[in-house]
């Protein structure tokens, strides 16, 4: 660089920097995940996710109040049932933990969007995302029927958007069909299309008690080495009727987000997962990172990569920092 250029750069006024900024993050982009635990009067902290809690449905009002007052448009619900079985039956009960939470939130804050995660791993005794055969492998097609029931039970309870995260083949199509048949033609599907078999889900599995009791999820989640496969998975979901597509995790997969944004017109969501949250929290607690600056840089980088919206445990803090 010539010295005179350097001098000019140093003199760039903050307002000019603001004017030529290419990317921004707004509160409108944020989705806040919540863990809902069956029971009463529960607000439990989650060790590996400082600042995040498991709430029973009757204890949601404070956190929902905060989300609404910060103008965050949506929450994403995960259920932690009391009882689990081989078939994940609790996941589609009319009065299941998520179904109860949906009704409570809709009563308290009708305009807040309620997105529900559709998966069986929190509800099965073995912790896998579907029904197993004798060898312990997931039975794709049998699982699809259960997932459709789960999705429908969420829609009936008042969910605004259904988000299947199980990664079974064909689940978007079968959920779309089940919703349409029951009069929920206008309930959108946000599909976890490119969900990697990632080690960054560790804290979530502690939070939701959903770690598989044997084996791993490599049979149905994607290999971190693959990117063309991600585009193929997204294309399948779009063809089956996904309204919003998703890449997960976010920071280790910014290249996948960028390619998906270039390739598809559908709104694109990215999930900054529990491990991404835990890393920033842990390093900051040790004084090794400046927490707020790193939070804002991380969410901005996910937007810069091409995400339209972002699921993040930092949603409330980001909203606070933006205001
Ligand atoms: C359920 C599900 C998981 C996450 C979201 N939905 C866990 C998993 O697949 O093991 C992880 C989210 C996070 O780490 O924050 N299948």
């Amino acid at each position: 660089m010539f010295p005179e250029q350097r001098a000019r750069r140093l003199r760039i006024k903050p307002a000019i920097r603001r004017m030529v900024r290419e990317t921004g993050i707004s509160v409108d982009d944020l989705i806040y995940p919540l863990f809902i635990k069956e029971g009463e009067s529960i607000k439990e902290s989650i060790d590996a996710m400082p600042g995040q809690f498991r709430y029973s449905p009757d204890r949601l009002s404070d956190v929902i109040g905060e989300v609404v007052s910060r103008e965050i448009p949506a929450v994403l619900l995960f259920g932690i049932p009391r009882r689990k079985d081989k078939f994940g039956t609790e996941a589609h009960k009319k009065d299941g933990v998520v179904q109860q939470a949906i009704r409570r939130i809709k009563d308290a804050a009708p305009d807040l969007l309620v997105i529900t995660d559709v998966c069986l791993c929190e509800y099965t005794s073995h912790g896998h995302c579907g029904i197993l055969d004798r060898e312990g492998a997931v039975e794709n097609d049998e699982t699809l029927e259960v997932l459709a029931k789960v999705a429908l039970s969420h829609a009936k309870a008042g969910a605004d958007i259904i988000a299947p995260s199980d990664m079974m083949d064909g689940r978007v199509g079968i959920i779309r069909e089940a919703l349409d048949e029951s009069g929920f033609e206008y309930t959108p599907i946000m599909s976890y299309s490119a969900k990697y078999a990632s080690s960054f889900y560790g804290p979530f599995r502690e939070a939701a008690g959903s770690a598989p009791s044997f084996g791993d999820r490599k049979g149905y989640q994607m290999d971190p080495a693959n990117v063309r496969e991600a585009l193929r998975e997204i294309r399948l979901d779009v063809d089956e009727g996904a309204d919003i597509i998703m890449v997960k995790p976010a920071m280790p997969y910014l290249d996948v987000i960028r390619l998906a944004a270039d390739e598809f017109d559908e709104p694109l969501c990215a999930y900054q997962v529990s491990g991404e949250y835990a890393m920033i929290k842990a390093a900051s607690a040790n004084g090794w990172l400046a927490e707020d600056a790193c939070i804002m840089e991380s969410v901005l980088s996910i937007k810069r990569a091409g995400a339209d919206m972002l699921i993040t445990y930092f949603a409330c803090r980001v909203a606070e920092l933006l205001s």
Side-chain angles (χ1 to χ4, degrees), residues 212-256:
S213 59
F214 65 92
D216 54 41
R217 303 209 203 292
K218 288 181 183 152
Y220 40 98
Q221 296 183 353
M222 285 185 44
D223 184 342
N226 296 354
V227 60
R228 290 199 306 270
E229 186 189 2
L231 298 179
R232 211 154 56 227
E233 289 280 359
I234 296 173
R235 194 164 295 118
L236 285 169
D237 282 2
V238 169
D239 288 348
E240 288 176 29
D243 301 282
I244 300 172
I245 54 179
M246 197 196 301
V247 173
K248 174 189 172 186
M251 274 232 288
Y253 298 89
L254 293 177
D255 57 326
V256 183

Side-chain angles (χ1 to χ4, degrees), residues 35 49 78 117 119-122 129 165-166 192 195-196 200-205 210 212 217 221 248 271-275 313:
F35 297 99
M49 301 175 73
F78 295 99
D117 185 89
C119 190
L120 298 184
C121 66
E122 299 101 352
C129 300
S165 73
D166 52 281
Y192 288 70
K195 177 173 177 179
Y196 285 88
F200 288 95
Y201 307 148
F204 175 98
R205 291 180 188 170
S210 65
R217 303 209 203 292
Q221 296 183 353
K248 174 189 172 186
Y271 196 146
Q272 183 176 45
V273 301
S274 56
Y313 303 96

Side-chain angles (χ1 to χ4, degrees), residues 129 139 146 152 179 181 193 202 218 238 278 290 296:
C129 300
E139 291 248 38
V146 186
L152 192 56
L179 292 174
E181 275 170 10
S193 308
K218 288 181 183 152
V238 169
M296 294 312 278

Side-chain angles (χ1 to χ4, degrees), residues 118-308:
V118 170
C119 190
L120 298 184
C121 66
E122 299 101 352
Y123 298 88
T124 51
S125 38
H126 43 72
H128 279 283
C129 300
I131 311 292
L132 301 183
D133 65 16
R134 278 178 195 195
E135 277 86 54
V138 171
E139 291 248 38
N140 192 85
D141 294 1
E142 281 185 28
T143 303
L144 292 182
E145 282 168 38
V146 186
L147 293 169
K149 278 193 199 168
V150 178
L152 192 56
S153 75
H154 290 176
K156 283 183 176 162
D160 297 294
I161 301 179
I162 302 295
S165 73
D166 52 281
M167 287 299 276
M168 298 303 129
D169 292 333
R171 86 256 204 237
V172 173
I174 203 155
I175 289 174
R176 185 70 273 158
E177 217 173 86
L179 292 174
D180 290 356
E181 275 170 10
S182 299
F184 296 101
E185 298 94 330
Y186 298 107
T187 302
I189 296 177
M190 170 193 267
S191 180
Y192 288 70
S193 308
K195 177 173 177 179
Y196 285 88
S198 172
S199 299
F200 288 95
Y201 307 148
F204 175 98
R205 291 180 188 170
E206 180 218 308
S210 65
S213 59
F214 65 92
D216 54 41
R217 303 209 203 292
K218 288 181 183 152
Y220 40 98
Q221 296 183 353
M222 285 185 44
D223 184 342
N226 296 354
V227 60
R228 290 199 306 270
E229 186 189 2
L231 298 179
R232 211 154 56 227
E233 289 280 359
I234 296 173
R235 194 164 295 118
L236 285 169
D237 282 2
V238 169
D239 288 348
E240 288 176 29
D243 301 282
I244 300 172
I245 54 179
M246 197 196 301
V247 173
K248 174 189 172 186
M251 274 232 288
Y253 298 89
L254 293 177
D255 57 326
V256 183
I257 296 174
R258 167 47 54 204
L259 279 173
D262 289 346
E263 185 78 17
F264 296 96
D265 297 328
E266 282 67 22
L268 175 61
C269 181
Y271 196 146
Q272 183 176 45
V273 301
S274 56
E276 298 177 69
Y277 176 84
M279 288 195 295
I280 293 179
K281 290 303 275 188
S284 307
N286 274 297
W288 298 335
L289 284 177
E291 181 166 345
D292 288 342
C294 286
I295 293 172
M296 294 312 278
E297 188 176 332
S298 69
V299 292
L300 187 67
S301 69
I302 296 164
K303 288 280 300 189
R304 191 197 62 237
D308 299 301

